[in-house]
Amino acid sequence: MATQPGTAKRTHTITLIPGDGIGPEVSGAVVEILEAAGAATGVAFDWHRFAAGAEAFEQTGHYIPQDLYDSIEENRLALKGPVTTPIGGGFSSINVTLRQKFELFANFRPVKNLPGLQTRYPGLDLIIVRENMEDLYAGLEHVVVPGVVQALKIITEKGSTRIAKFAFDYARKHDRKKIHSIHKANIMKLSDGLFLSCCRKVREGFPEIEYHEHIVDNTCMQLVMNPFQYDILLTENLYGDILSDLCSAFVGGLGLVPGANLGTECAIFEAVHGSAPDIAGKDMANPTALLQSAVLMLHHINESETAERVQTGLEQVYREGKTLTKDVGGKAGTKAFAQAVLQAMESPVAVPA
Ligand code: ATP
């Protein structure tokens, strides 16, 4: 039974980075929905808000202020909107820096259809498990001589083994049947070869899980032909980034797919999408991806009742299909969509069997 508002039993302190571009709009919607769901289920949130990126630089002279690092260190939990990464010169990616700093080695991205939304592949349910700290994202580039630049792809036994272990542990715990390691070891024999050999070694401890290896370019074709052949895609950092955007298109686009950056100490939850400057400030952004990231966060902190309340409200809005944002074929703005989710949480409709 729902708890009376104002009778919160538990309070969670969470670092909130609204982000830039569409970040403030989607995170505003998500906070409002979480507050309402929490009020009904006896959960309160104490949000510690911080700017990051250009806005933080203007205020503090740092792209990631020390206070923000301290807050994540203390709370061990953050919900993060997108933060623009300057292209070319300048500060390295804020997202990558945070993942490195807090050793968030696993990037977990479930790609699942929402009920009622017309997509090319109804019923799709796959997961991308992406190594989050190594590969070309190590940011090690230098000019060898003018006109020649070298970028270093770092793959380690430690990093590959722990991401493989994460994927197999997840599969066992959640009864997922199949893992594909995605690689390009035919060309990058040493680096991707090491990644594969670590996956194979970890795999030995999980004989009940079907295991395959696919080359990344073939995987792109296979995914478009028949994504249902995949269950969990286990992959390095860059391939994981590219496959995430590709797979998001199967379920309605970047506005929908959530993500979690997980380490042994901390977790940062954020959508797959970027700051989408083309639609920023226009009340057009779809907050679903960040909202579903927040649902992952609620499960992570064992607030499953609140998570279910949000997810059920969200799915009801999609099932009804009347108040959807433009990216998924609707006419509603971010704010109207958020109001529809709030209303759906208040007045749930039984799902037809
Ligand atoms: P990054 O490299 O920072 O991850 P990206 O290159 O993936 O970013 P995005 O900023 O995510 O690019 O935007 C890609 C396209 O998807 C844009 O046209 C944008 O408008 C659209 N898009 C992204 N997120 C959303 C959203 N939440 N709602 C609606 N459209 C979105």
Side-chain angles (χ1 to χ4, degrees):
M1 199 170 97
T3 308
Q4 287 302 310
T7 58
K9 288 176 288 201
R10 294 176 299 283
T11 299
H12 295 279
T13 307
I14 302 169
T15 304
L16 176 69
I17 307 167
D20 50 36
I22 58 170
E25 295 165 84
V26 292
S27 59
V30 168
V31 165
E32 196 180 351
I33 293 166
L34 258 61
E35 290 287 338
T41 51
V43 176
F45 302 99
D46 181 10
W47 303 102
H48 290 189
R49 278 165 212 265
F50 291 90
E55 190 191 343
F57 189 78
E58 270 170 37
Q59 292 167 5
T60 68
H62 299 280
Y63 286 98
I64 305 178
Q66 187 58 42
D67 287 359
L68 170 53
Y69 282 128
D70 294 345
S71 174
I72 298 175
E73 187 97 47
E74 195 181 329
N75 299 330
R76 295 165 177 226
L77 188 64
L79 182 65
K80 178 181 164 299
V83 178
T84 308
T85 295
I87 294 178
F91 187 78
S92 63
S93 159
I94 281 123
N95 307 328
V96 173
T97 306
L98 287 173
R99 292 168 191 169
Q100 300 276 1
K101 165 85 180 162
F102 294 105
E103 252 195 281
L104 305 172
F105 68 89
N107 194 195
F108 175 83
R109 294 174 159 180
V111 180
K112 197 172 173 185
N113 268 294
L114 280 163
L117 192 62
Q118 296 273 323
T119 62
R120 269 173 211 269
Y121 303 101
L124 186 67
D125 175 8
L126 61 83
I127 291 170
I128 296 170
V129 173
R130 164 189 177 194
E131 199 289 321
N132 218 16
M133 294 177 59
E134 303 191 334
D135 197 352
L136 286 160
Y137 281 68
L140 299 172
E141 291 184 305
H142 61 269
V143 177
V144 181
V145 290
V148 181
V149 171
Q150 189 175 36
L152 300 180
K153 168 166 171 148
I154 308 294
I155 299 292
T156 68
E157 186 177 359
K158 181 183 168 197
S160 304
T161 302
R162 70 178 172 180
I163 195 64
K165 182 89 173 46
F166 175 92
F168 278 96
D169 279 340
Y170 181 89
R172 176 172 281 169
K173 195 164 169 208
H174 296 87
D175 202 24
R176 306 290 296 217
K177 307 286 181 227
K178 227 187 315 184
I179 291 184
H180 283 78
S181 286
I182 310 301
H183 65 94
K184 189 78 184 172
N186 52 334
I187 303 298
M188 280 158 279
K189 294 178 193 295
L190 288 182
S191 52
D192 285 17
L194 175 60
F195 177 78
L196 278 189
S197 74
C198 294
C199 294
R200 287 176 196 158
K201 223 175 268 172
V202 170
R203 188 270 144 134
E204 286 169 13
F206 298 81
E208 79 279 17
I209 294 163
E210 216 180 300
Y211 176 70
H212 304 272
E213 292 166 358
H214 278 184
I215 295 175
V216 64
D217 41 354
N218 176 35
T219 305
C220 292
M221 188 216 36
Q222 296 287 345
L223 273 165
V224 175
M225 300 277 277
N226 175 20
F228 297 99
Q229 65 186 293
Y230 296 104
D231 185 0
I232 293 179
L233 301 174
L234 163 60
T235 188
E236 294 169 12
N237 207 339
L238 182 61
Y239 308 145
D241 184 44
I242 296 166
L243 291 172
S244 297
D245 276 31
L246 172 66
C247 291
S248 80
F250 301 154
V251 295
L254 280 171
L256 302 173
V257 181
N261 300 292
L262 304 167
T264 46
E265 303 291 327
C266 290
I268 299 181
F269 293 81
E270 67 180 333
V272 168
H273 64 72
S275 54
D278 53 331
I279 56 167
K282 297 181 179 164
D283 191 35
M284 280 172 73
N286 187 348
T288 302
L290 190 64
L291 188 58
Q292 295 205 98
S293 307
V295 168
L296 292 176
M297 180 184 77
L298 290 169
H299 283 297
H300 178 80
I301 57 174
N302 296 318
E303 293 296 357
S304 298
E305 188 191 351
T306 315
E308 288 307 325
R309 189 173 172 89
V310 173
Q311 189 69 29
T312 305
L314 178 72
E315 290 184 5
Q316 187 167 313
V317 171
Y318 275 92
R319 208 174 284 110
E320 289 170 355
K322 290 185 300 206
T323 322
L324 301 181
T325 47
K326 206 171 162 200
D327 57 310
V328 288
K331 292 196 174 82
T334 312
K335 289 187 185 125
F337 176 84
Q339 289 310 310
V341 175
L342 288 168
Q343 182 129 32
M345 291 195 308
E346 277 302 308
S347 328
V349 172
V351 181

